[in-house]
Amino acid sequence: MAGSGEVQWCFSQVKGTVEEDVTDADIISTVEFNHDGELLATGDKGGRVVIFQREEQSKNCTPPRGEYNVYSTFQSHEPEFDYLKSLEIEEKINKIKWLNRQNYAHFLLSTNDKTIKLWKVSERDKKWVGSNLMEEDGTVRDPCQITSVRLPSVQPIELMVEASPRRVFSNAHTYHINSISINSDGETYISADDLRINLWHLGITDQSFNIVDIKPANMEELTEVITAAEFHPRECNVFVYSSSKGSIRLCDMRQAALCDQSAKMFEEPEDPSNRSFFSEIISSISDVRFSHSGRYMISRDYLSVKVWDVLMDTKPVETFPVHEYLRSKLCSLYENDCIFDKFECVWNGNDTAIMTGSYNNFFRIFDRNTKRDSTLEASRDSIKPLQVLKPRRVNTGGKRKKDEISVDSLDFTRKILHTAWHPKENIIAVAATNNLYLFQEKPPS
């Protein structure tokens, strides 16, 4: 896989309707490739999970294409009502995480604000016929009418993809779940809400262990909340969590049962010259991700993406400004609540590039080797097959060039919060409101 500095990105597919009056339920709320990139799952605000499968033909053609078709769609969560607290619980899917595949079936975890579910997704293309006790339509045969023993046989049927709930993990979070992360041991996972992180075993639904609790005795003394949490990709005892105060804490579960005292804290001192009323809000970390190697982490705050070396907690090793031109717009972004948007960030398959979203359906790709960056747009104006995406530029003052867009004309209602990068190839998935865009590396001429 090449770094993004050498990559020219081109359009592959767009999934979703064109209608202007998009219903709230259709808005995509999470995107996740599975471990080999053959499947891509999206969750939406209506509680649905849609799984796309890589087209065999597109993968094997020359040059290979990154095209996906709908594989399975199912309703993961329904709206609920908490009668004790008189609260409606939205069906919106907050996160989806794939388990490593161990047999013919696929397993994934999906969560809304309160309940985590383990789903099994499997194929069926055969059925047993010739039961002794039942007719083919499923009705029970009269035992008195059974005069001979039939030998059941297998018959092929049209391929069916079935999604079935295997476990429901509930009643463990008082606050809204913002993260789930599966451990490298394949047996446990963590779930995080604003104030607590719980450790679960995938086979046990009625018991979890509280491993982080930052809830103060007096809620009026609350100064920060947990914003994201993730397990180390290789060391099953290590995890990190980020906070609204702009810090990342690395914890080792071997040190203590309750990991309130972190092994390391990663925090960058604030530049006094940039201090403002909005400093605390924009320093809040909305996402933290380990690199595939486990050596680095990326964190996303409102204006930038930072790369941290796990062995160095004093400062980030790299900082990439995402939309620095918005610093002068923080007042209006505060008034329209956009300043509280939670952008995610992702690594490419070999940890050489990073992707994150912005406004106006822009998304940013940073190459760590060449230090080049590009701003691209998810737009239906550029949806011809293999059409190369033109880099977009934002004008922050002075005379505007022909291909630049003024910072005053950016559309803050069109935002890229959720993205995913194929683990092995240069194929990316970008969620823009109710549309899922797929882009791929431009094939050689």
Side-chain angles (χ1 to χ4, degrees):
M1 182 191 289
S4 71
E6 296 75 42
V7 172
Q8 269 196 307
W9 293 96
C10 63
F11 173 80
S12 179
Q13 283 174 298
V14 61
K15 308 285 186 182
T17 53
V18 191
E19 287 88 19
E20 288 297 314
D21 51 332
V22 179
T23 64
D24 202 45
D26 295 329
I27 295 173
I28 297 171
S29 53
T30 186
V31 187
E32 193 81 15
F33 279 104
N34 75 337
H35 295 277
D36 60 8
E38 292 302 296
L39 298 177
L40 171 64
T42 65
D44 64 26
K45 286 191 173 182
R48 293 179 298 259
V49 172
V50 181
I51 300 175
F52 300 91
Q53 184 180 44
R54 180 93 178 262
E55 260 191 15
E56 201 67 34
Q57 191 178 345
S58 85
K59 187 170 67 172
N60 297 326
C61 67
T62 309
R65 297 276 298 270
E67 292 180 354
Y68 287 74
N69 282 333
V70 174
Y71 179 64
S72 176
T73 302
F74 58 93
Q75 188 74 29
S76 174
H77 287 69
E78 302 279 357
E80 297 171 55
F81 192 79
D82 185 336
Y83 291 97
L84 288 175
K85 295 180 180 170
S86 295
L87 273 179
E88 283 188 35
I89 301 168
E90 285 186 345
E91 64 271 39
K92 174 193 166 196
I93 308 293
N94 291 342
K95 292 288 178 192
I96 290 171
K97 293 293 174 186
W98 292 92
L99 278 67
N100 274 319
R101 194 174 183 185
Q102 295 177 334
N103 54 30
Y104 68 94
H106 299 274
F107 289 86
L108 61 86
L109 285 176
S110 64
T111 184
N112 68 349
D113 285 341
K114 299 289 180 186
T115 305
I116 305 157
K117 294 185 181 182
L118 174 67
W119 289 88
K120 177 184 178 182
V121 182
S122 54
E123 294 181 354
R124 200 149 63 91
D125 59 359
K126 297 180 181 69
K127 71 171 182 177
W128 286 95
V129 295
S131 167
N132 287 289
L133 303 177
M134 267 191 235
E135 301 291 355
E136 297 310 323
D137 61 0
T139 55
V140 179
R141 296 176 70 190
D142 180 358
C144 301
Q145 303 294 321
I146 301 173
T147 55
S148 61
V149 176
R150 294 191 290 184
L151 195 64
S153 62
V154 176
Q155 277 190 5
I157 58 170
E158 192 177 342
L159 179 68
M160 292 170 59
V161 180
E162 297 175 319
S164 52
R166 302 310 298 263
R167 307 262 192 285
V168 178
F169 307 87
S170 56
N171 303 323
H173 285 277
T174 308
Y175 306 96
H176 293 176
I177 298 170
N178 56 46
S179 302
I180 47 175
S181 178
I182 296 163
N183 202 345
S184 57
D185 63 13
E187 293 184 359
T188 56
Y189 74 92
I190 53 174
S191 58
D193 66 25
D194 290 347
L195 299 179
R196 294 191 177 104
I197 299 175
N198 292 332
L199 175 69
W200 299 83
H201 190 283
L202 283 160
I204 302 169
T205 60
D206 59 353
Q207 188 179 35
S208 65
F209 296 95
N210 180 220
I211 54 173
V212 172
D213 187 346
I214 65 166
K215 184 179 179 181
N218 180 0
M219 282 296 275
E220 289 179 5
E221 295 169 7
L222 182 69
T223 58
E224 63 180 331
V225 294
I226 297 166
T227 55
E230 187 176 57
F231 261 122
H232 191 283
R234 296 181 181 177
E235 296 176 29
C236 62
N237 51 289
V238 175
F239 68 95
V240 292
Y241 68 93
S242 58
S243 89
S244 57
K245 269 193 158 179
S247 59
I248 302 167
R249 291 176 175 85
L250 182 83
C251 302
D252 188 336
M253 291 191 291
R254 294 174 301 185
Q255 289 183 340
L258 194 63
C259 302
D260 287 357
Q261 301 299 315
S262 55
K264 274 187 181 176
M265 186 156 102
F266 301 80
E267 196 169 28
E268 186 174 30
E270 190 190 354
D271 181 356
S273 63
N274 279 337
R275 180 83 193 157
S276 75
F277 169 76
F278 305 106
S279 295
E280 276 193 26
I281 302 171
I282 64 173
S283 65
S284 174
I285 293 173
S286 55
D287 198 13
V288 61
R289 304 276 182 119
F290 274 109
S291 61
H292 294 83
S293 67
R295 174 66 191 272
Y296 297 97
M297 299 181 292
I298 48 174
S299 66
R300 172 70 206 264
D301 57 44
Y302 191 66
L303 293 178
S304 65
V305 171
K306 290 168 182 164
V307 181
W308 302 83
D309 187 329
V310 170
L311 303 178
M312 189 176 86
D313 56 6
T314 50
K315 62 178 183 178
V317 289
E318 296 156 33
T319 300
F320 298 102
V322 176
H323 37 217
E324 188 61 28
Y325 48 80
L326 294 183
R327 196 176 284 278
S328 62
K329 300 280 179 192
L330 293 178
C331 194
S332 57
L333 289 163
Y334 178 78
E335 288 169 0
N336 64 15
D337 280 349
C338 285
I339 202 167
F340 302 106
D341 285 334
K342 292 175 171 57
F343 292 95
E344 295 172 6
C345 52
V346 290
W347 294 91
N348 70 342
N350 58 8
D351 302 335
T352 58
I354 299 158
M355 173 170 57
T356 191
S358 180
Y359 294 104
N360 211 73
N361 275 10
F362 289 169
F363 58 98
R364 306 271 280 133
I365 295 178
F366 304 97
D367 188 293
R368 296 183 60 214
N369 294 332
T370 63
K371 305 303 180 204
R372 291 183 192 163
D373 63 86
S374 53
T375 302
L376 303 169
E377 184 181 6
S379 165
R380 285 187 175 265
D381 297 338
S382 316
I383 57 170
K384 292 178 187 163
L386 299 182
Q387 180 176 347
V388 175
L389 300 185
K390 288 182 183 173
R392 303 303 306 264
R393 288 179 183 81
V394 178
N395 176 270
T396 53
K399 192 175 180 185
R400 187 159 64 92
K401 294 178 185 171
K402 181 183 164 190
D403 58 344
E404 288 183 336
I405 181 167
S406 163
V407 69
D408 294 318
S409 57
L410 293 172
D411 185 348
F412 294 109
T413 62
R414 297 165 68 231
K415 54 192 89 169
I416 305 291
L417 301 175
H418 315 287
T419 59
W421 202 313
H422 191 289
K424 296 176 181 175
E425 298 176 44
N426 275 327
I427 299 170
I428 54 178
V430 173
T433 319
N434 67 316
N435 290 309
L436 180 71
Y437 288 85
L438 286 153
F439 303 105
Q440 67 172 80
E441 182 177 5
K442 181 177 182 285
S445 310

